[in-house]
Every structure is written in C-alpha cells, then in structure tokens.
Amino acid sequence: MAETGKENPYGGRFGILRRIDDWIFNIEMGILWTFLGVSAIMVFLDVMYRRLAAPDSKVAELAARIFGVESPEGIERLTAIGPKASAVIGVALVYFAFWTAEEHAAEPGKQSRIKPILETIFASAGLGLLGWIMVRPDVESRWFYLLLYSLCAGFWLFNLFRERGPDLAAKLVSFLVVTAIYVYITLKYFPDGYSWSKELSLIMLLWVGFLGASVCAHEGKHIQVGALKRVVPPSMSRWMDALGFVFTAAFCFFMAMLGYEYAKEALTLEGRFEQTNIPDWVATIAVPAAFAMTSIRYIAAAFSSIMGGSYGAAPEDESIAAAAAQAAEEGAKG
C-alpha cells in the first residue's frame, strides 16, 4: 500500500496488489451502477408496458372521479381521450425538464429557447419508438433490453473516450466484464414479456447491497469509531486503527463463512426462481463473495495502517494525514 503523502498509490512493494484491488473496485462499481440502472429501468418498463397493453385508462378513471362522470358514454369518451392526454402531459414534462436544465446550465441571458424544443422532439420521438417496439409481439423483451443497454453503453463510452481519464484502461476492462455478465444473463434468463421485473430486480438489489459494503471498505466510507484513537498517544494511533480493522475483518470473515454455508446449501437444493428460472445460488452467493472481499480489504487496511499508509482510512483522516505529511515536507525543505 502507498505510504502517507505519496502521490503514486502503486509504488512500493504492494503496488501491484493495490492496482489489482483498484481494478476489482472498478468492476464492482460497474456492476453496482449497471444493476441499479437496469433495476430502475425494468420496474419503469414493467409499469409502462402494463399501461400500454391495458385496455383501460387510469387517466380516464381519475378524470371520471374528479368530474363525476358516471355514464357509459362519458367514460368511453374519456377512455378514448386518456392516452392522448397522457402523451401530451408526458411531452410537457419532458420539455419542462429540458427547459429547466437549460436555464441552470446556460449563463444568464444566453439561454436558448430552441434547444429545449429540439431536445423534447428528439426525446419524445425516441420514447415513442421504444414504446412502439415494446408492444410489438414479435420483439422479445431480451432484445429490447439489449437495445437499451447498447444505447446507454454507447453514450457512456463516448464520454469515457472524450474525457480520457487516467483510469481509462481499468474502466474499459470493467465495462467488458459487466457487459459480458449482462449479455449472458439477458440471453439466458430474461423471459418474454415485461411483467417479471420484480424478481430480477430483487436479485440485483441484493448484489448491490452487499457489493456496496465491499466498495465502502475500499473507499473508507464505513462508520468508524474514532473516540478511542483520540485518547491514546499519537504513537499508538495507527496500532489502534489496525486493531479495529482486524476485528472488522474477522467479523466479515465469519459472515462470509456463514454465507458460504448458505450458498452451498442453495447449490445442493438446485432451486430456481419461478419467473426467470435463475438458480437460487446466484442470489445467495453475493453474501460470501462480498464479505470475503470486504474482509480481505480490511486486512489490507490493517497492514497499511501499521506501515503508516492510508488505505481504508476515512476520507477526512486521509486528508489530514496527507496535509500533515505535506506540512512536514515543506518544513524540511525550509
């Protein structure tokens, strides 16, 4: 692990381990963002598909209640108008979103009136095209989700290559890994239709929750008790941090072993989810995998703390340590 105050975290004896850890972190972040985005889109498309395929209109029912329409002719008329009114309201909301973004992004007096209109036209046309594809019986949902993923991935890659950050290679590797996982799950387990989103979303959110613990360990974002560290002599501070990391690593290892036993039992039973036919162990294996990675990271944080590094430290502690090291370096030069 890099020592405190050093700008290059990959220097020293453990530089290669830190690099591997950062690459794993990028893959975890890719899985987190992808699973969160896919879960949200799945639930949204599930609701949207039910509305597009349903013969009734919720807008018509609401309007009938508000205006007290009870006659069959009036309800039928409202049912015919409902989808059109919903479309108009949707376009208006899209325009309001783009108009608000333009008002906040542009400098005062330089806001464009045409840009939000053009963006609304293209966005509404795109959403309309996607809705038309959804209701076509000859288009399976897996291909529709692959189309959406391709569009989002293309936009993300465009921004990635335009910025060309220092972690470009790591992000590309994580993108390839996440894409391979997503394509495999989509082609093998996505059933037809759109009414199964709840089941797969729960599996993805389970992975998001436990991988989030591992990500927080990498970033030092977990809750840490710093009261004891403040009452011990400064020379013992790093040892107290290391002791806390070791205890946390032991707890995570214990949870990983429990999760392993549970996942092994699920693998033996060969159970599957009802709608997607995904094996039960795909969900349960998230527990031992995430806790094992978290345990390894806390062990690394303990070694880093003993050696005077900042891996796994809380962001404020890391910034304080870096500032102290910089002040000491400037004092030595002076």
Side-chain angles (χ1 to χ4, degrees), residues 1-6 8-9 11 13-14 18 224 229 237-239 241-242 245 299-314 317-322 325:
M1 304 302 165
E3 296 180 4
T4 304
K6 288 190 175 181
N8 182 17
R13 292 170 293 176
F14 302 102
R18 180 62 186 269
Q224 300 181 12
K229 185 175 66 174
S237 177
R238 61 179 180 175
W239 295 97
D241 286 339
F245 288 139
I299 292 174
F303 278 105
S304 177
S305 179
I306 293 173
M307 298 172 62
S310 59
Y311 178 80
D317 293 343
E318 187 173 349
S319 60
I320 292 174

PDB file of all heavy atoms in Angstrom, residues 1-6 8-9 11 13-14 18 224 229 237-239 241-242 245 299-314 317-322 325:
ATOM      1  N   MET A   1       0.834  -1.189   0.000  1.00  0.00           N
ATOM      2  CA  MET A   1       0.000   0.000   0.000  1.00  0.00           C
ATOM      3  C   MET A   1       0.877   1.251   0.000  1.00  0.00           C
ATOM      4  O   MET A   1       1.977   1.235   0.548  1.00  0.00           O
ATOM      5  CB  MET A   1      -0.919   0.013   1.221  1.00  0.00           C
ATOM      6  CG  MET A   1      -1.784  -1.243   1.322  1.00  0.00           C
ATOM      7  SD  MET A   1      -2.800  -1.470  -0.155  1.00  0.00           S
ATOM      8  CE  MET A   1      -3.307  -3.168   0.045  1.00  0.00           C
ATOM      9  N   ALA A   2       0.379   2.292  -0.578  1.00  0.00           N
ATOM     10  CA  ALA A   2       1.157   3.513  -0.656  1.00  0.00           C
ATOM     11  C   ALA A   2       1.275   4.142   0.705  1.00  0.00           C
ATOM     12  O   ALA A   2       0.390   4.098   1.528  1.00  0.00           O
ATOM     13  CB  ALA A   2       0.506   4.486  -1.637  1.00  0.00           C
ATOM     14  N   GLU A   3       2.414   4.736   0.955  1.00  0.00           N
ATOM     15  CA  GLU A   3       2.620   5.398   2.223  1.00  0.00           C
ATOM     16  C   GLU A   3       1.958   6.760   2.205  1.00  0.00           C
ATOM     17  O   GLU A   3       1.717   7.356   1.167  1.00  0.00           O
ATOM     18  CB  GLU A   3       4.121   5.533   2.496  1.00  0.00           C
ATOM     19  CG  GLU A   3       4.810   4.170   2.658  1.00  0.00           C
ATOM     20  CD  GLU A   3       6.279   4.339   2.923  1.00  0.00           C
ATOM     21  OE1 GLU A   3       6.702   5.502   3.055  1.00  0.00           O
ATOM     22  OE2 GLU A   3       7.003   3.338   3.009  1.00  0.00           O
ATOM     23  N   THR A   4       1.706   7.271   3.424  1.00  0.00           N
ATOM     24  CA  THR A   4       1.044   8.553   3.561  1.00  0.00           C
ATOM     25  C   THR A   4       1.869   9.651   2.909  1.00  0.00           C
ATOM     26  O   THR A   4       3.071   9.756   3.122  1.00  0.00           O
ATOM     27  CB  THR A   4       0.836   8.875   5.049  1.00  0.00           C
ATOM     28  OG1 THR A   4       0.115   7.805   5.633  1.00  0.00           O
ATOM     29  CG2 THR A   4       0.079  10.163   5.222  1.00  0.00           C
ATOM     30  N   GLY A   5       1.172  10.468   2.122  1.00  0.00           N
ATOM     31  CA  GLY A   5       1.826  11.602   1.494  1.00  0.00           C
ATOM     32  C   GLY A   5       2.362  11.321   0.122  1.00  0.00           C
ATOM     33  O   GLY A   5       2.726  12.227  -0.591  1.00  0.00           O
ATOM     34  N   LYS A   6       2.442  10.055  -0.272  1.00  0.00           N
ATOM     35  CA  LYS A   6       2.924   9.741  -1.604  1.00  0.00           C
ATOM     36  C   LYS A   6       1.793   9.869  -2.604  1.00  0.00           C
ATOM     37  O   LYS A   6       0.686   9.411  -2.364  1.00  0.00           O
ATOM     38  CB  LYS A   6       3.512   8.331  -1.642  1.00  0.00           C
ATOM     39  CG  LYS A   6       4.854   8.235  -0.918  1.00  0.00           C
ATOM     40  CD  LYS A   6       5.510   6.900  -1.194  1.00  0.00           C
ATOM     41  CE  LYS A   6       6.901   6.829  -0.576  1.00  0.00           C
ATOM     42  NZ  LYS A   6       7.569   5.545  -0.859  1.00  0.00           N
ATOM     43  N   ASN A   8       1.758   8.568  -5.738  1.00  0.00           N
ATOM     44  CA  ASN A   8       1.559   7.355  -6.515  1.00  0.00           C
ATOM     45  C   ASN A   8       1.151   6.207  -5.594  1.00  0.00           C
ATOM     46  O   ASN A   8       1.972   5.709  -4.819  1.00  0.00           O
ATOM     47  CB  ASN A   8       2.849   6.998  -7.253  1.00  0.00           C
ATOM     48  CG  ASN A   8       2.678   5.753  -8.116  1.00  0.00           C
ATOM     49  OD1 ASN A   8       1.555   5.349  -8.416  1.00  0.00           O
ATOM     50  ND2 ASN A   8       3.794   5.154  -8.504  1.00  0.00           N
ATOM     51  N   PRO A   9      -0.112   5.763  -5.649  1.00  0.00           N
ATOM     52  CA  PRO A   9      -0.538   4.681  -4.761  1.00  0.00           C
ATOM     53  C   PRO A   9      -0.023   3.316  -5.190  1.00  0.00           C
ATOM     54  O   PRO A   9      -0.179   2.343  -4.460  1.00  0.00           O
ATOM     55  CB  PRO A   9      -2.069   4.746  -4.851  1.00  0.00           C
ATOM     56  CG  PRO A   9      -2.332   5.300  -6.208  1.00  0.00           C
ATOM     57  CD  PRO A   9      -1.207   6.265  -6.483  1.00  0.00           C
ATOM     58  N   GLY A  11       3.165   2.626  -5.986  1.00  0.00           N
ATOM     59  CA  GLY A  11       4.581   2.462  -5.716  1.00  0.00           C
ATOM     60  C   GLY A  11       4.812   1.549  -4.525  1.00  0.00           C
ATOM     61  O   GLY A  11       3.908   1.243  -3.751  1.00  0.00           O
ATOM     62  N   ARG A  13       6.310  -1.975  -2.410  1.00  0.00           N
ATOM     63  CA  ARG A  13       6.243  -3.434  -2.534  1.00  0.00           C
ATOM     64  C   ARG A  13       4.841  -3.943  -2.831  1.00  0.00           C
ATOM     65  O   ARG A  13       4.672  -4.990  -3.456  1.00  0.00           O
ATOM     66  CB  ARG A  13       6.752  -4.075  -1.237  1.00  0.00           C
ATOM     67  CG  ARG A  13       8.243  -3.884  -0.983  1.00  0.00           C
ATOM     68  CD  ARG A  13       8.612  -4.334   0.402  1.00  0.00           C
ATOM     69  NE  ARG A  13       8.020  -3.466   1.424  1.00  0.00           N
ATOM     70  CZ  ARG A  13       8.119  -3.689   2.730  1.00  0.00           C
ATOM     71  NH1 ARG A  13       8.750  -4.762   3.164  1.00  0.00           N
ATOM     72  NH2 ARG A  13       7.577  -2.846   3.584  1.00  0.00           N
ATOM     73  N   PHE A  14       3.830  -3.221  -2.356  1.00  0.00           N
ATOM     74  CA  PHE A  14       2.458  -3.691  -2.507  1.00  0.00           C
ATOM     75  C   PHE A  14       1.705  -2.940  -3.611  1.00  0.00           C
ATOM     76  O   PHE A  14       0.480  -2.964  -3.646  1.00  0.00           O
ATOM     77  CB  PHE A  14       1.709  -3.534  -1.182  1.00  0.00           C
ATOM     78  CG  PHE A  14       2.344  -4.278  -0.045  1.00  0.00           C
ATOM     79  CD1 PHE A  14       3.106  -3.605   0.899  1.00  0.00           C
ATOM     80  CD2 PHE A  14       2.194  -5.648   0.074  1.00  0.00           C
ATOM     81  CE1 PHE A  14       3.696  -4.286   1.947  1.00  0.00           C
ATOM     82  CE2 PHE A  14       2.778  -6.339   1.121  1.00  0.00           C
ATOM     83  CZ  PHE A  14       3.540  -5.661   2.060  1.00  0.00           C
ATOM     84  N   ARG A  18      -2.320  -3.178  -4.846  1.00  0.00           N
ATOM     85  CA  ARG A  18      -3.228  -2.026  -4.867  1.00  0.00           C
ATOM     86  C   ARG A  18      -3.829  -1.832  -6.255  1.00  0.00           C
ATOM     87  O   ARG A  18      -5.017  -1.499  -6.396  1.00  0.00           O
ATOM     88  CB  ARG A  18      -2.470  -0.766  -4.436  1.00  0.00           C
ATOM     89  CG  ARG A  18      -3.333   0.502  -4.423  1.00  0.00           C
ATOM     90  CD  ARG A  18      -4.481   0.377  -3.432  1.00  0.00           C
ATOM     91  NE  ARG A  18      -5.375   1.514  -3.507  1.00  0.00           N
ATOM     92  CZ  ARG A  18      -5.246   2.621  -2.775  1.00  0.00           C
ATOM     93  NH1 ARG A  18      -4.245   2.736  -1.917  1.00  0.00           N
ATOM     94  NH2 ARG A  18      -6.103   3.600  -2.890  1.00  0.00           N
ATOM     95  N   GLN A 224     -16.742   4.453  11.438  1.00  0.00           N
ATOM     96  CA  GLN A 224     -15.603   4.090  12.271  1.00  0.00           C
ATOM     97  C   GLN A 224     -15.678   4.842  13.598  1.00  0.00           C
ATOM     98  O   GLN A 224     -16.059   6.010  13.637  1.00  0.00           O
ATOM     99  CB  GLN A 224     -14.285   4.423  11.565  1.00  0.00           C
ATOM    100  CG  GLN A 224     -14.103   3.685  10.240  1.00  0.00           C
ATOM    101  CD  GLN A 224     -12.783   4.020   9.579  1.00  0.00           C
ATOM    102  OE1 GLN A 224     -11.905   4.625  10.193  1.00  0.00           O
ATOM    103  NE2 GLN A 224     -12.636   3.628   8.322  1.00  0.00           N
ATOM    104  N   LYS A 229      -9.199   6.231  19.550  1.00  0.00           N
ATOM    105  CA  LYS A 229      -7.952   6.661  18.919  1.00  0.00           C
ATOM    106  C   LYS A 229      -7.512   8.031  19.421  1.00  0.00           C
ATOM    107  O   LYS A 229      -6.320   8.344  19.444  1.00  0.00           O
ATOM    108  CB  LYS A 229      -8.142   6.681  17.399  1.00  0.00           C
ATOM    109  CG  LYS A 229      -6.882   6.997  16.624  1.00  0.00           C
ATOM    110  CD  LYS A 229      -7.105   6.883  15.134  1.00  0.00           C
ATOM    111  CE  LYS A 229      -8.079   7.929  14.639  1.00  0.00           C
ATOM    112  NZ  LYS A 229      -8.199   7.909  13.156  1.00  0.00           N
ATOM    113  N   SER A 237      -1.736   5.482  17.729  1.00  0.00           N
ATOM    114  CA  SER A 237      -2.944   5.696  16.945  1.00  0.00           C
ATOM    115  C   SER A 237      -3.070   4.701  15.795  1.00  0.00           C
ATOM    116  O   SER A 237      -4.125   4.102  15.579  1.00  0.00           O
ATOM    117  CB  SER A 237      -2.960   7.127  16.401  1.00  0.00           C
ATOM    118  OG  SER A 237      -4.085   7.339  15.586  1.00  0.00           O
ATOM    119  N   ARG A 238      -1.986   4.509  15.063  1.00  0.00           N
ATOM    120  CA  ARG A 238      -2.065   3.606  13.920  1.00  0.00           C
ATOM    121  C   ARG A 238      -2.292   2.164  14.351  1.00  0.00           C
ATOM    122  O   ARG A 238      -2.916   1.376  13.644  1.00  0.00           O
ATOM    123  CB  ARG A 238      -0.815   3.719  13.068  1.00  0.00           C
ATOM    124  CG  ARG A 238       0.480   3.361  13.785  1.00  0.00           C
ATOM    125  CD  ARG A 238       1.657   3.482  12.827  1.00  0.00           C
ATOM    126  NE  ARG A 238       2.920   3.137  13.474  1.00  0.00           N
ATOM    127  CZ  ARG A 238       4.076   3.066  12.821  1.00  0.00           C
ATOM    128  NH1 ARG A 238       4.116   3.323  11.524  1.00  0.00           N
ATOM    129  NH2 ARG A 238       5.183   2.753  13.465  1.00  0.00           N
ATOM    130  N   TRP A 239      -1.778   1.810  15.540  1.00  0.00           N
ATOM    131  CA  TRP A 239      -1.995   0.456  16.035  1.00  0.00           C
ATOM    132  C   TRP A 239      -3.452   0.249  16.443  1.00  0.00           C
ATOM    133  O   TRP A 239      -4.002  -0.850  16.261  1.00  0.00           O
ATOM    134  CB  TRP A 239      -1.067   0.173  17.216  1.00  0.00           C
ATOM    135  CG  TRP A 239       0.379   0.178  16.827  1.00  0.00           C
ATOM    136  CD1 TRP A 239       1.260   1.206  16.956  1.00  0.00           C
ATOM    137  CD2 TRP A 239       1.092  -0.894  16.216  1.00  0.00           C
ATOM    138  NE1 TRP A 239       2.495   0.855  16.471  1.00  0.00           N
ATOM    139  CE2 TRP A 239       2.424  -0.440  16.015  1.00  0.00           C
ATOM    140  CE3 TRP A 239       0.754  -2.190  15.830  1.00  0.00           C
ATOM    141  CZ2 TRP A 239       3.394  -1.246  15.431  1.00  0.00           C
ATOM    142  CZ3 TRP A 239       1.725  -2.997  15.261  1.00  0.00           C
ATOM    143  CH2 TRP A 239       3.030  -2.524  15.058  1.00  0.00           C
ATOM    144  N   ASP A 241      -5.961   1.803  14.987  1.00  0.00           N
ATOM    145  CA  ASP A 241      -6.660   1.661  13.708  1.00  0.00           C
ATOM    146  C   ASP A 241      -6.514   0.244  13.169  1.00  0.00           C
ATOM    147  O   ASP A 241      -7.485  -0.365  12.699  1.00  0.00           O
ATOM    148  CB  ASP A 241      -6.109   2.664  12.692  1.00  0.00           C
ATOM    149  CG  ASP A 241      -6.576   4.079  12.969  1.00  0.00           C
ATOM    150  OD1 ASP A 241      -7.601   4.234  13.655  1.00  0.00           O
ATOM    151  OD2 ASP A 241      -5.918   5.026  12.489  1.00  0.00           O
ATOM    152  N   ALA A 242      -5.294  -0.269  13.238  1.00  0.00           N
ATOM    153  CA  ALA A 242      -5.048  -1.623  12.735  1.00  0.00           C
ATOM    154  C   ALA A 242      -5.854  -2.654  13.517  1.00  0.00           C
ATOM    155  O   ALA A 242      -6.404  -3.601  12.938  1.00  0.00           O
ATOM    156  CB  ALA A 242      -3.558  -1.941  12.808  1.00  0.00           C
ATOM    157  N   PHE A 245      -9.383  -2.557  12.338  1.00  0.00           N
ATOM    158  CA  PHE A 245      -9.511  -3.191  11.027  1.00  0.00           C
ATOM    159  C   PHE A 245      -9.471  -4.717  11.140  1.00  0.00           C
ATOM    160  O   PHE A 245     -10.193  -5.423  10.430  1.00  0.00           O
ATOM    161  CB  PHE A 245      -8.389  -2.709  10.098  1.00  0.00           C
ATOM    162  CG  PHE A 245      -8.554  -1.288   9.639  1.00  0.00           C
ATOM    163  CD1 PHE A 245      -7.457  -0.433   9.566  1.00  0.00           C
ATOM    164  CD2 PHE A 245      -9.795  -0.798   9.276  1.00  0.00           C
ATOM    165  CE1 PHE A 245      -7.600   0.876   9.138  1.00  0.00           C
ATOM    166  CE2 PHE A 245      -9.953   0.516   8.847  1.00  0.00           C
ATOM    167  CZ  PHE A 245      -8.852   1.352   8.781  1.00  0.00           C
ATOM    168  N   ILE A 299      -8.123  -6.460   6.064  1.00  0.00           N
ATOM    169  CA  ILE A 299      -6.792  -6.964   6.417  1.00  0.00           C
ATOM    170  C   ILE A 299      -5.719  -6.086   5.772  1.00  0.00           C
ATOM    171  O   ILE A 299      -4.713  -5.722   6.404  1.00  0.00           O
ATOM    172  CB  ILE A 299      -6.647  -8.429   5.970  1.00  0.00           C
ATOM    173  CG1 ILE A 299      -7.573  -9.326   6.796  1.00  0.00           C
ATOM    174  CG2 ILE A 299      -5.202  -8.892   6.113  1.00  0.00           C
ATOM    175  CD1 ILE A 299      -7.604 -10.766   6.329  1.00  0.00           C
ATOM    176  N   ALA A 300      -5.947  -5.729   4.500  1.00  0.00           N
ATOM    177  CA  ALA A 300      -5.007  -4.831   3.825  1.00  0.00           C
ATOM    178  C   ALA A 300      -4.963  -3.472   4.515  1.00  0.00           C
ATOM    179  O   ALA A 300      -3.895  -2.855   4.635  1.00  0.00           O
ATOM    180  CB  ALA A 300      -5.418  -4.673   2.363  1.00  0.00           C
ATOM    181  N   ALA A 301      -6.121  -2.992   4.979  1.00  0.00           N
ATOM    182  CA  ALA A 301      -6.157  -1.709   5.679  1.00  0.00           C
ATOM    183  C   ALA A 301      -5.378  -1.781   6.986  1.00  0.00           C
ATOM    184  O   ALA A 301      -4.717  -0.809   7.386  1.00  0.00           O
ATOM    185  CB  ALA A 301      -7.606  -1.303   5.944  1.00  0.00           C
ATOM    186  N   ALA A 302      -5.432  -2.934   7.666  1.00  0.00           N
ATOM    187  CA  ALA A 302      -4.674  -3.092   8.912  1.00  0.00           C
ATOM    188  C   ALA A 302      -3.174  -3.013   8.644  1.00  0.00           C
ATOM    189  O   ALA A 302      -2.435  -2.314   9.352  1.00  0.00           O
ATOM    190  CB  ALA A 302      -5.033  -4.420   9.574  1.00  0.00           C
ATOM    191  N   PHE A 303      -2.701  -3.720   7.618  1.00  0.00           N
ATOM    192  CA  PHE A 303      -1.283  -3.658   7.268  1.00  0.00           C
ATOM    193  C   PHE A 303      -0.890  -2.250   6.840  1.00  0.00           C
ATOM    194  O   PHE A 303       0.192  -1.758   7.194  1.00  0.00           O
ATOM    195  CB  PHE A 303      -0.975  -4.658   6.153  1.00  0.00           C
ATOM    196  CG  PHE A 303      -0.770  -6.062   6.633  1.00  0.00           C
ATOM    197  CD1 PHE A 303      -1.747  -7.022   6.450  1.00  0.00           C
ATOM    198  CD2 PHE A 303       0.402  -6.425   7.278  1.00  0.00           C
ATOM    199  CE1 PHE A 303      -1.568  -8.319   6.898  1.00  0.00           C
ATOM    200  CE2 PHE A 303       0.595  -7.723   7.730  1.00  0.00           C
ATOM    201  CZ  PHE A 303      -0.393  -8.674   7.544  1.00  0.00           C
ATOM    202  N   SER A 304      -1.761  -1.601   6.076  1.00  0.00           N
ATOM    203  CA  SER A 304      -1.467  -0.243   5.631  1.00  0.00           C
ATOM    204  C   SER A 304      -1.356   0.711   6.812  1.00  0.00           C
ATOM    205  O   SER A 304      -0.480   1.587   6.842  1.00  0.00           O
ATOM    206  CB  SER A 304      -2.558   0.233   4.669  1.00  0.00           C
ATOM    207  OG  SER A 304      -2.346   1.571   4.274  1.00  0.00           O
ATOM    208  N   SER A 305      -2.243   0.546   7.796  1.00  0.00           N
ATOM    209  CA  SER A 305      -2.199   1.417   8.970  1.00  0.00           C
ATOM    210  C   SER A 305      -0.913   1.216   9.762  1.00  0.00           C
ATOM    211  O   SER A 305      -0.291   2.186  10.220  1.00  0.00           O
ATOM    212  CB  SER A 305      -3.415   1.140   9.856  1.00  0.00           C
ATOM    213  OG  SER A 305      -3.399   1.942  11.010  1.00  0.00           O
ATOM    214  N   ILE A 306      -0.488  -0.030   9.917  1.00  0.00           N
ATOM    215  CA  ILE A 306       0.747  -0.308  10.660  1.00  0.00           C
ATOM    216  C   ILE A 306       1.954   0.300   9.951  1.00  0.00           C
ATOM    217  O   ILE A 306       2.876   0.827  10.590  1.00  0.00           O
ATOM    218  CB  ILE A 306       0.924  -1.830  10.828  1.00  0.00           C
ATOM    219  CG1 ILE A 306      -0.176  -2.388  11.744  1.00  0.00           C
ATOM    220  CG2 ILE A 306       2.303  -2.157  11.398  1.00  0.00           C
ATOM    221  CD1 ILE A 306      -0.181  -3.897  11.845  1.00  0.00           C
ATOM    222  N   MET A 307       1.926   0.268   8.615  1.00  0.00           N
ATOM    223  CA  MET A 307       3.050   0.785   7.834  1.00  0.00           C
ATOM    224  C   MET A 307       2.968   2.292   7.613  1.00  0.00           C
ATOM    225  O   MET A 307       3.822   2.868   6.940  1.00  0.00           O
ATOM    226  CB  MET A 307       3.107   0.068   6.488  1.00  0.00           C
ATOM    227  CG  MET A 307       3.348  -1.436   6.604  1.00  0.00           C
ATOM    228  SD  MET A 307       3.175  -2.286   5.018  1.00  0.00           S
ATOM    229  CE  MET A 307       4.485  -1.505   4.092  1.00  0.00           C
ATOM    230  N   GLY A 308       1.928   2.931   8.162  1.00  0.00           N
ATOM    231  CA  GLY A 308       1.801   4.375   8.014  1.00  0.00           C
ATOM    232  C   GLY A 308       1.058   4.806   6.777  1.00  0.00           C
ATOM    233  O   GLY A 308       1.083   5.991   6.424  1.00  0.00           O
ATOM    234  N   GLY A 309       0.375   3.874   6.113  1.00  0.00           N
ATOM    235  CA  GLY A 309      -0.389   4.208   4.920  1.00  0.00           C
ATOM    236  C   GLY A 309      -1.791   4.671   5.259  1.00  0.00           C
ATOM    237  O   GLY A 309      -2.176   4.770   6.429  1.00  0.00           O
ATOM    238  N   SER A 310      -2.575   4.936   4.223  1.00  0.00           N
ATOM    239  CA  SER A 310      -3.919   5.477   4.425  1.00  0.00           C
ATOM    240  C   SER A 310      -4.991   4.636   3.749  1.00  0.00           C
ATOM    241  O   SER A 310      -6.132   5.077   3.637  1.00  0.00           O
ATOM    242  CB  SER A 310      -3.992   6.911   3.880  1.00  0.00           C
ATOM    243  OG  SER A 310      -3.677   6.938   2.496  1.00  0.00           O
ATOM    244  N   TYR A 311      -4.652   3.444   3.289  1.00  0.00           N
ATOM    245  CA  TYR A 311      -5.656   2.607   2.632  1.00  0.00           C
ATOM    246  C   TYR A 311      -6.733   2.206   3.635  1.00  0.00           C
ATOM    247  O   TYR A 311      -6.439   1.734   4.736  1.00  0.00           O
ATOM    248  CB  TYR A 311      -5.005   1.351   2.055  1.00  0.00           C
ATOM    249  CG  TYR A 311      -5.992   0.416   1.393  1.00  0.00           C
ATOM    250  CD1 TYR A 311      -6.437   0.657   0.107  1.00  0.00           C
ATOM    251  CD2 TYR A 311      -6.477  -0.700   2.061  1.00  0.00           C
ATOM    252  CE1 TYR A 311      -7.343  -0.191  -0.508  1.00  0.00           C
ATOM    253  CE2 TYR A 311      -7.380  -1.556   1.459  1.00  0.00           C
ATOM    254  CZ  TYR A 311      -7.811  -1.301   0.179  1.00  0.00           C
ATOM    255  OH  TYR A 311      -8.714  -2.146  -0.421  1.00  0.00           O
ATOM    256  N   GLY A 312      -7.986   2.393   3.249  1.00  0.00           N
ATOM    257  CA  GLY A 312      -9.098   2.036   4.119  1.00  0.00           C
ATOM    258  C   GLY A 312      -9.439   3.068   5.162  1.00  0.00           C
ATOM    259  O   GLY A 312     -10.410   2.895   5.907  1.00  0.00           O
ATOM    260  N   ALA A 313      -8.643   4.143   5.253  1.00  0.00           N
ATOM    261  CA  ALA A 313      -8.923   5.178   6.242  1.00  0.00           C
ATOM    262  C   ALA A 313     -10.092   6.032   5.787  1.00  0.00           C
ATOM    263  O   ALA A 313     -10.394   6.125   4.595  1.00  0.00           O
ATOM    264  CB  ALA A 313      -7.688   6.050   6.460  1.00  0.00           C
ATOM    265  N   ALA A 314     -10.764   6.646   6.755  1.00  0.00           N
ATOM    266  CA  ALA A 314     -11.859   7.544   6.422  1.00  0.00           C
ATOM    267  C   ALA A 314     -11.326   8.714   5.602  1.00  0.00           C
ATOM    268  O   ALA A 314     -10.178   9.134   5.785  1.00  0.00           O
ATOM    269  CB  ALA A 314     -12.532   8.051   7.690  1.00  0.00           C
ATOM    270  N   ASP A 317      -9.707  11.467   7.605  1.00  0.00           N
ATOM    271  CA  ASP A 317      -8.430  11.074   8.194  1.00  0.00           C
ATOM    272  C   ASP A 317      -7.327  11.058   7.145  1.00  0.00           C
ATOM    273  O   ASP A 317      -6.190  11.445   7.400  1.00  0.00           O
ATOM    274  CB  ASP A 317      -8.552   9.691   8.836  1.00  0.00           C
ATOM    275  CG  ASP A 317      -9.472   9.707  10.056  1.00  0.00           C
ATOM    276  OD1 ASP A 317      -9.723  10.814  10.562  1.00  0.00           O
ATOM    277  OD2 ASP A 317      -9.923   8.627  10.475  1.00  0.00           O
ATOM    278  N   GLU A 318      -7.667  10.592   5.951  1.00  0.00           N
ATOM    279  CA  GLU A 318      -6.677  10.533   4.884  1.00  0.00           C
ATOM    280  C   GLU A 318      -6.233  11.929   4.478  1.00  0.00           C
ATOM    281  O   GLU A 318      -5.048  12.177   4.251  1.00  0.00           O
ATOM    282  CB  GLU A 318      -7.271   9.787   3.691  1.00  0.00           C
ATOM    283  CG  GLU A 318      -6.275   9.523   2.579  1.00  0.00           C
ATOM    284  CD  GLU A 318      -6.871   8.637   1.503  1.00  0.00           C
ATOM    285  OE1 GLU A 318      -7.953   8.076   1.734  1.00  0.00           O
ATOM    286  OE2 GLU A 318      -6.236   8.521   0.440  1.00  0.00           O
ATOM    287  N   SER A 319      -7.181  12.864   4.392  1.00  0.00           N
ATOM    288  CA  SER A 319      -6.818  14.225   4.008  1.00  0.00           C
ATOM    289  C   SER A 319      -5.971  14.888   5.092  1.00  0.00           C
ATOM    290  O   SER A 319      -5.031  15.631   4.795  1.00  0.00           O
ATOM    291  CB  SER A 319      -8.083  15.043   3.750  1.00  0.00           C
ATOM    292  OG  SER A 319      -8.889  15.106   4.917  1.00  0.00           O
ATOM    293  N   ILE A 320      -6.289  14.611   6.357  1.00  0.00           N
ATOM    294  CA  ILE A 320      -5.497  15.174   7.451  1.00  0.00           C
ATOM    295  C   ILE A 320      -4.077  14.622   7.425  1.00  0.00           C
ATOM    296  O   ILE A 320      -3.094  15.349   7.599  1.00  0.00           O
ATOM    297  CB  ILE A 320      -6.174  14.881   8.805  1.00  0.00           C
ATOM    298  CG1 ILE A 320      -7.491  15.663   8.911  1.00  0.00           C
ATOM    299  CG2 ILE A 320      -5.256  15.242   9.960  1.00  0.00           C
ATOM    300  CD1 ILE A 320      -8.299  15.315  10.142  1.00  0.00           C
ATOM    301  N   ALA A 321      -3.981  13.301   7.173  1.00  0.00           N
ATOM    302  CA  ALA A 321      -2.658  12.687   7.121  1.00  0.00           C
ATOM    303  C   ALA A 321      -1.840  13.236   5.959  1.00  0.00           C
ATOM    304  O   ALA A 321      -0.636  13.500   6.089  1.00  0.00           O
ATOM    305  CB  ALA A 321      -2.795  11.168   7.004  1.00  0.00           C
ATOM    306  N   ALA A 322      -2.487  13.421   4.814  1.00  0.00           N
ATOM    307  CA  ALA A 322      -1.778  13.960   3.656  1.00  0.00           C
ATOM    308  C   ALA A 322      -1.327  15.395   3.911  1.00  0.00           C
ATOM    309  O   ALA A 322      -0.213  15.788   3.538  1.00  0.00           O
ATOM    310  CB  ALA A 322      -2.671  13.890   2.422  1.00  0.00           C
ATOM    311  N   ALA A 325       1.644  15.326   6.233  1.00  0.00           N
ATOM    312  CA  ALA A 325       2.860  14.910   5.534  1.00  0.00           C
ATOM    313  C   ALA A 325       3.397  16.028   4.650  1.00  0.00           C
ATOM    314  O   ALA A 325       4.610  16.246   4.568  1.00  0.00           O
ATOM    315  CB  ALA A 325       2.574  13.661   4.701  1.00  0.00           C
TER     316      ALA A 325
END
